[in-house]
Amino acid sequence: MCRNTGTTRARSPFLLILQSTLFKGFDRRVVIPMTLRSVLPREVDSKLCPAFVIEGQVVLLMPLEITNIPGERLGQVVMSLRDEAETVIAAVDWMMNRGWD
């Protein structure tokens, strides 16, 4: 996970790099914004948007805002969510494959 250096950094101070390191030769990175819980107007589905505490701030994974950015625009690496991989994968899977009504 790295700092968001873009225009959305006040709302989403961190970006989770979703892309496997197998593709590090590409110049873009697939990322998911980590948005401050305090800026969201309402409760969100915790299965889709799990919460994490990063540097003392509660942030939510926002899979519906998945995007890609040039690798050189990534900010400083803050930490790894490798130990939370199953939670992240489950949220992305819920968005893509299981969240049907």
Side-chain angles (χ1 to χ4, degrees), residues 17-30 82:
I17 302 168
L18 188 65
Q19 181 174 319
S20 168
T21 57
L22 291 174
F23 308 111
K24 65 183 173 189
F26 289 85
D27 62 351
R28 298 189 73 81
R29 298 293 180 266
V30 176
R82 186 177 307 269

PDB file of all heavy atoms in Angstrom, residues 17-30 82:
ATOM      1  N   ILE A  17      -2.130  -1.413  -3.943  1.00  0.00           N
ATOM      2  CA  ILE A  17      -1.704  -1.961  -5.234  1.00  0.00           C
ATOM      3  C   ILE A  17      -2.244  -3.378  -5.320  1.00  0.00           C
ATOM      4  O   ILE A  17      -1.867  -4.251  -4.546  1.00  0.00           O
ATOM      5  CB  ILE A  17      -0.174  -1.941  -5.372  1.00  0.00           C
ATOM      6  CG1 ILE A  17       0.349  -0.519  -5.208  1.00  0.00           C
ATOM      7  CG2 ILE A  17       0.245  -2.527  -6.715  1.00  0.00           C
ATOM      8  CD1 ILE A  17       1.851  -0.428  -5.053  1.00  0.00           C
ATOM      9  N   LEU A  18      -3.145  -3.597  -6.260  1.00  0.00           N
ATOM     10  CA  LEU A  18      -3.805  -4.886  -6.411  1.00  0.00           C
ATOM     11  C   LEU A  18      -3.038  -5.797  -7.356  1.00  0.00           C
ATOM     12  O   LEU A  18      -3.144  -7.012  -7.285  1.00  0.00           O
ATOM     13  CB  LEU A  18      -5.231  -4.655  -6.927  1.00  0.00           C
ATOM     14  CG  LEU A  18      -6.149  -5.843  -6.984  1.00  0.00           C
ATOM     15  CD1 LEU A  18      -6.422  -6.375  -5.586  1.00  0.00           C
ATOM     16  CD2 LEU A  18      -7.445  -5.484  -7.659  1.00  0.00           C
ATOM     17  N   GLN A  19      -2.268  -5.239  -8.205  1.00  0.00           N
ATOM     18  CA  GLN A  19      -1.595  -5.946  -9.281  1.00  0.00           C
ATOM     19  C   GLN A  19      -0.462  -6.828  -8.765  1.00  0.00           C
ATOM     20  O   GLN A  19       0.319  -6.414  -7.915  1.00  0.00           O
ATOM     21  CB  GLN A  19      -1.052  -4.881 -10.223  1.00  0.00           C
ATOM     22  CG  GLN A  19      -0.326  -5.355 -11.424  1.00  0.00           C
ATOM     23  CD  GLN A  19      -0.006  -4.174 -12.308  1.00  0.00           C
ATOM     24  OE1 GLN A  19      -0.827  -3.294 -12.487  1.00  0.00           O
ATOM     25  NE2 GLN A  19       1.191  -4.138 -12.840  1.00  0.00           N
ATOM     26  N   SER A  20      -0.373  -8.010  -9.295  1.00  0.00           N
ATOM     27  CA  SER A  20       0.699  -8.934  -8.938  1.00  0.00           C
ATOM     28  C   SER A  20       2.050  -8.381  -9.374  1.00  0.00           C
ATOM     29  O   SER A  20       2.168  -7.702 -10.395  1.00  0.00           O
ATOM     30  CB  SER A  20       0.456 -10.275  -9.637  1.00  0.00           C
ATOM     31  OG  SER A  20       1.591 -11.101  -9.548  1.00  0.00           O
ATOM     32  N   THR A  21       3.070  -8.703  -8.611  1.00  0.00           N
ATOM     33  CA  THR A  21       4.424  -8.284  -8.988  1.00  0.00           C
ATOM     34  C   THR A  21       4.903  -8.994 -10.257  1.00  0.00           C
ATOM     35  O   THR A  21       5.906  -8.593 -10.834  1.00  0.00           O
ATOM     36  CB  THR A  21       5.426  -8.549  -7.842  1.00  0.00           C
ATOM     37  OG1 THR A  21       5.379  -9.929  -7.498  1.00  0.00           O
ATOM     38  CG2 THR A  21       5.116  -7.681  -6.634  1.00  0.00           C
ATOM     39  N   LEU A  22       4.186 -10.016 -10.696  1.00  0.00           N
ATOM     40  CA  LEU A  22       4.525 -10.664 -11.968  1.00  0.00           C
ATOM     41  C   LEU A  22       4.444  -9.672 -13.127  1.00  0.00           C
ATOM     42  O   LEU A  22       5.085  -9.861 -14.157  1.00  0.00           O
ATOM     43  CB  LEU A  22       3.575 -11.832 -12.254  1.00  0.00           C
ATOM     44  CG  LEU A  22       3.700 -13.049 -11.355  1.00  0.00           C
ATOM     45  CD1 LEU A  22       2.596 -14.048 -11.662  1.00  0.00           C
ATOM     46  CD2 LEU A  22       5.070 -13.689 -11.519  1.00  0.00           C
ATOM     47  N   PHE A  23       3.667  -8.598 -12.939  1.00  0.00           N
ATOM     48  CA  PHE A  23       3.456  -7.626 -14.011  1.00  0.00           C
ATOM     49  C   PHE A  23       4.167  -6.306 -13.746  1.00  0.00           C
ATOM     50  O   PHE A  23       3.786  -5.269 -14.273  1.00  0.00           O
ATOM     51  CB  PHE A  23       1.947  -7.408 -14.213  1.00  0.00           C
ATOM     52  CG  PHE A  23       1.216  -8.702 -14.395  1.00  0.00           C
ATOM     53  CD1 PHE A  23       0.344  -9.159 -13.423  1.00  0.00           C
ATOM     54  CD2 PHE A  23       1.432  -9.493 -15.507  1.00  0.00           C
ATOM     55  CE1 PHE A  23      -0.319 -10.361 -13.566  1.00  0.00           C
ATOM     56  CE2 PHE A  23       0.786 -10.705 -15.665  1.00  0.00           C
ATOM     57  CZ  PHE A  23      -0.092 -11.152 -14.696  1.00  0.00           C
ATOM     58  N   LYS A  24       5.211  -6.341 -12.921  1.00  0.00           N
ATOM     59  CA  LYS A  24       5.921  -5.109 -12.580  1.00  0.00           C
ATOM     60  C   LYS A  24       6.641  -4.488 -13.769  1.00  0.00           C
ATOM     61  O   LYS A  24       7.024  -3.327 -13.707  1.00  0.00           O
ATOM     62  CB  LYS A  24       6.878  -5.337 -11.418  1.00  0.00           C
ATOM     63  CG  LYS A  24       8.006  -6.290 -11.705  1.00  0.00           C
ATOM     64  CD  LYS A  24       8.839  -6.509 -10.473  1.00  0.00           C
ATOM     65  CE  LYS A  24       9.866  -7.604 -10.742  1.00  0.00           C
ATOM     66  NZ  LYS A  24      10.544  -8.005  -9.549  1.00  0.00           N
ATOM     67  N   GLY A  25       6.808  -5.218 -14.846  1.00  0.00           N
ATOM     68  CA  GLY A  25       7.433  -4.671 -16.049  1.00  0.00           C
ATOM     69  C   GLY A  25       6.552  -3.684 -16.792  1.00  0.00           C
ATOM     70  O   GLY A  25       7.038  -2.915 -17.620  1.00  0.00           O
ATOM     71  N   PHE A  26       5.270  -3.687 -16.494  1.00  0.00           N
ATOM     72  CA  PHE A  26       4.354  -2.725 -17.114  1.00  0.00           C
ATOM     73  C   PHE A  26       4.475  -1.386 -16.406  1.00  0.00           C
ATOM     74  O   PHE A  26       4.791  -1.327 -15.218  1.00  0.00           O
ATOM     75  CB  PHE A  26       2.913  -3.233 -17.049  1.00  0.00           C
ATOM     76  CG  PHE A  26       2.661  -4.399 -17.960  1.00  0.00           C
ATOM     77  CD1 PHE A  26       2.938  -5.688 -17.543  1.00  0.00           C
ATOM     78  CD2 PHE A  26       2.158  -4.204 -19.239  1.00  0.00           C
ATOM     79  CE1 PHE A  26       2.719  -6.779 -18.380  1.00  0.00           C
ATOM     80  CE2 PHE A  26       1.932  -5.286 -20.076  1.00  0.00           C
ATOM     81  CZ  PHE A  26       2.224  -6.571 -19.651  1.00  0.00           C
ATOM     82  N   ASP A  27       4.210  -0.302 -17.107  1.00  0.00           N
ATOM     83  CA  ASP A  27       4.399   1.018 -16.503  1.00  0.00           C
ATOM     84  C   ASP A  27       3.190   1.520 -15.718  1.00  0.00           C
ATOM     85  O   ASP A  27       3.240   2.588 -15.135  1.00  0.00           O
ATOM     86  CB  ASP A  27       4.813   2.051 -17.556  1.00  0.00           C
ATOM     87  CG  ASP A  27       3.763   2.266 -18.635  1.00  0.00           C
ATOM     88  OD1 ASP A  27       2.781   1.504 -18.673  1.00  0.00           O
ATOM     89  OD2 ASP A  27       3.930   3.194 -19.442  1.00  0.00           O
ATOM     90  N   ARG A  28       2.106   0.756 -15.677  1.00  0.00           N
ATOM     91  CA  ARG A  28       0.928   1.159 -14.917  1.00  0.00           C
ATOM     92  C   ARG A  28       0.665   0.156 -13.808  1.00  0.00           C
ATOM     93  O   ARG A  28       1.102  -0.992 -13.889  1.00  0.00           O
ATOM     94  CB  ARG A  28      -0.289   1.277 -15.838  1.00  0.00           C
ATOM     95  CG  ARG A  28      -0.067   2.353 -16.910  1.00  0.00           C
ATOM     96  CD  ARG A  28      -1.307   2.665 -17.694  1.00  0.00           C
ATOM     97  NE  ARG A  28      -2.286   3.429 -16.970  1.00  0.00           N
ATOM     98  CZ  ARG A  28      -2.265   4.753 -16.787  1.00  0.00           C
ATOM     99  NH1 ARG A  28      -1.265   5.452 -17.257  1.00  0.00           N
ATOM    100  NH2 ARG A  28      -3.220   5.360 -16.133  1.00  0.00           N
ATOM    101  N   ARG A  29      -0.029   0.608 -12.761  1.00  0.00           N
ATOM    102  CA  ARG A  29      -0.368  -0.254 -11.626  1.00  0.00           C
ATOM    103  C   ARG A  29      -1.865  -0.204 -11.376  1.00  0.00           C
ATOM    104  O   ARG A  29      -2.470   0.876 -11.368  1.00  0.00           O
ATOM    105  CB  ARG A  29       0.352   0.213 -10.347  1.00  0.00           C
ATOM    106  CG  ARG A  29       1.861   0.151 -10.424  1.00  0.00           C
ATOM    107  CD  ARG A  29       2.378  -1.287 -10.517  1.00  0.00           C
ATOM    108  NE  ARG A  29       3.822  -1.330 -10.591  1.00  0.00           N
ATOM    109  CZ  ARG A  29       4.510  -1.380 -11.735  1.00  0.00           C
ATOM    110  NH1 ARG A  29       3.889  -1.378 -12.894  1.00  0.00           N
ATOM    111  NH2 ARG A  29       5.823  -1.439 -11.703  1.00  0.00           N
ATOM    112  N   VAL A  30      -2.457  -1.380 -11.165  1.00  0.00           N
ATOM    113  CA  VAL A  30      -3.875  -1.474 -10.809  1.00  0.00           C
ATOM    114  C   VAL A  30      -3.969  -1.225  -9.308  1.00  0.00           C
ATOM    115  O   VAL A  30      -3.289  -1.881  -8.518  1.00  0.00           O
ATOM    116  CB  VAL A  30      -4.448  -2.853 -11.167  1.00  0.00           C
ATOM    117  CG1 VAL A  30      -5.899  -2.973 -10.711  1.00  0.00           C
ATOM    118  CG2 VAL A  30      -4.323  -3.102 -12.669  1.00  0.00           C
ATOM    119  N   ARG A  82      -0.615  -7.818   2.932  1.00  0.00           N
ATOM    120  CA  ARG A  82      -0.459  -9.219   2.518  1.00  0.00           C
ATOM    121  C   ARG A  82      -1.189 -10.167   3.473  1.00  0.00           C
ATOM    122  O   ARG A  82      -1.816 -11.124   3.040  1.00  0.00           O
ATOM    123  CB  ARG A  82       1.018  -9.581   2.435  1.00  0.00           C
ATOM    124  CG  ARG A  82       1.272 -10.973   1.886  1.00  0.00           C
ATOM    125  CD  ARG A  82       2.744 -11.275   1.753  1.00  0.00           C
ATOM    126  NE  ARG A  82       3.457 -10.264   0.991  1.00  0.00           N
ATOM    127  CZ  ARG A  82       3.649 -10.309  -0.328  1.00  0.00           C
ATOM    128  NH1 ARG A  82       3.141 -11.296  -1.019  1.00  0.00           N
ATOM    129  NH2 ARG A  82       4.332  -9.358  -0.928  1.00  0.00           N
TER     130      ARG A  82
END
